[in-house]
Amino acid sequence: QVQVVESGGGSVQAGGSLRLSCAASGYTGSKYSMGWFRQAPGKEREGVAAIYTGDGSTYYAASVKGRFTISQDNAKNTVNLQMNNLKPEDTAMYYCAHRGGSWYMASPPRSEVQYNFWGQGTQVTVSS
């Protein structure tokens, strides 16, 4: 069983930055995908960014491209999401999800159903 834990959420003013981290324990393989999703009150959960550690390929939703950066820290076995120039519409609960094994598509998995294990979420609040 893989356990996924997010950290780094908080409150920030518009234009500010936050860094989210995601650690997955219980997985021993070297290749996996990690995705970040978010859900705002009254809205459906949406994919934000994803990374496949096998080749470093990344995916970003159009709404965050150029502002968010997803990266892997092999030394700590974590995936980070650097969020810059935050906007009030980025306010949401952010979830990290893990999918073990190889991924053979050009872009990492971006759909919820493609991930197996989920964290409890971390709140990000951006005030105007």
Side-chain angles (χ1 to χ4, degrees):
Q1 186 80 359
V2 177
Q3 292 190 331
V4 179
V5 179
E6 307 97 336
S7 62
S11 297
V12 66
Q13 289 191 328
S17 298
L18 283 173
R19 185 180 179 88
L20 305 183
S21 291
C22 179
S25 60
Y27 180 75
T28 59
S30 61
K31 297 179 180 180
Y32 59 91
S33 301
M34 205 84 94
W36 283 98
F37 296 79
R38 67 186 181 187
Q39 187 168 22
K43 294 187 176 181
E44 292 186 354
R45 189 154 56 183
E46 63 174 351
V48 174
I51 188 167
Y52 170 53
T53 62
D55 60 9
S57 58
T58 58
Y59 157 78
Y60 297 96
S63 58
V64 306
K65 193 172 292 185
R67 300 188 297 123
F68 290 13
T69 302
I70 190 169
S71 62
Q72 59 186 92
D73 186 335
N74 292 327
K76 298 181 179 179
N77 201 28
T78 60
V79 168
N80 301 311
L81 184 68
Q82 177 67 40
M83 305 185 296
N84 297 328
N85 190 23
L86 282 161
K87 304 176 180 180
E89 51 264 42
D90 294 317
T91 295
M93 184 70 78
Y94 283 70
Y95 298 91
C96 182
H98 180 278
R99 175 192 173 97
S102 298
W103 182 256
Y104 300 102
M105 306 297 286
S107 179
R110 63 184 70 179
S111 170
E112 293 183 52
V113 299
Q114 294 170 320
Y115 289 89
N116 307 116
F117 300 99
W118 291 78
Q120 293 298 309
T122 184
Q123 178 67 38
V124 171
T125 302
V126 184
S127 58
S128 58

